[in-house]
Amino acid sequence: MNSLRLLRPAARQLCKPCVTQPTARRAFNTDTAPVLYSASAKVVGARTGHVVGDDLEVDLTMSKALGGTGDKGKTNPEELFAAGYGACFQSAMNASAASMGIRMPTKKEDSVVRTTVHLVGDMSDLELGLRVDMKVSVKGLSQEDFDKVIKKAKEVCPYSRATQGNVTTNITTECT
């Protein structure tokens, strides 16, 4: 009987579920944060329409893969998102590197972000989403510094933060 009493605390410990601590997230409230910049766009005609923004005017076309004409010289929402995410992530890399005392290449062509945005799902069920593949190439950094810059950029890039938990983003890197 005494031996059972001694084993109970150990048995209780074994039966407790394993709880892992969630990854710490930066406390940042976009509802109350000061606005640094705002961009606006007016769209008329959906995916085959026209966009007018503060400093932007583009025609849209439905991609051939989605049954559209894929007109040359026109764009689509996925291309615009790929361009925005890629540019934002590269800016986050530059800011992250500077904050850590790491020097990024001075030649623009030595730091390249190629972003592909995939529209995924089922059109007939209107069950749609996005997936992003990003390839980041940088010349002149050590692998250790490059890894630090990418890690920090993932944490601070507004697009990365906005898509976290919603959009799978696969980032591959190449440091030469």
Side-chain angles (χ1 to χ4, degrees):
M1 186 120 117
N2 281 339
S3 60
L4 281 177
R5 200 175 298 158
L6 291 173
L7 290 175
R8 278 190 190 136
R12 280 191 203 114
Q13 285 292 43
L14 288 173
C15 292
K16 283 186 180 177
C18 179
V19 178
T20 57
Q21 294 298 320
T23 305
R25 293 192 70 181
R26 286 182 8 191
F28 185 75
N29 185 339
T30 57
D31 291 330
T32 59
V35 173
L36 303 175
Y37 171 74
S38 298
S40 300
K42 175 182 152 188
V43 178
V44 177
R47 283 182 170 268
T48 57
H50 186 77
V51 177
V52 176
D54 300 329
D55 297 310
L56 173 74
E57 190 163 338
V58 294
D59 289 318
L60 300 174
T61 185
M62 180 80 82
S63 146
K64 285 183 181 180
L66 297 177
T69 57
D71 301 320
K72 280 218 175 272
K74 296 182 180 181
T75 190
N76 60 61
E78 291 73 32
E79 284 180 333
L80 292 170
F81 190 80
Y85 196 169
C88 189
F89 192 82
Q90 192 169 43
S91 292
M93 287 171 46
N94 293 337
S96 296
S99 76
M100 295 184 288
I102 297 171
R103 227 181 122 144
M104 290 293 282
T106 54
K107 291 171 40 177
K108 290 181 181 180
E109 58 272 10
D110 288 346
S111 177
V112 178
V113 176
R114 291 176 179 84
T115 308
T116 303
V117 173
H118 306 277
L119 181 64
V120 298
D122 185 338
M123 295 277 289
S124 62
D125 289 341
L126 296 179
E127 190 68 36
L128 303 169
L130 298 175
R131 182 176 62 240
V132 176
D133 291 325
M134 189 178 289
K135 182 177 182 182
V136 181
S137 304
V138 175
K139 291 182 183 174
L141 289 183
S142 70
Q143 188 65 51
E144 181 182 351
D145 283 349
F146 186 46
D147 292 343
K148 287 179 190 175
V149 168
I150 295 296
K151 182 177 188 274
K152 179 88 171 176
K154 287 180 192 178
E155 294 170 6
V156 302
C157 173
Y159 277 73
S160 293
R161 295 182 70 184
T163 59
Q164 187 177 24
N166 290 328
V167 175
T168 298
T169 300
N170 303 302
I171 299 176
T172 57
T173 59
E174 178 182 63
C175 183
T176 57

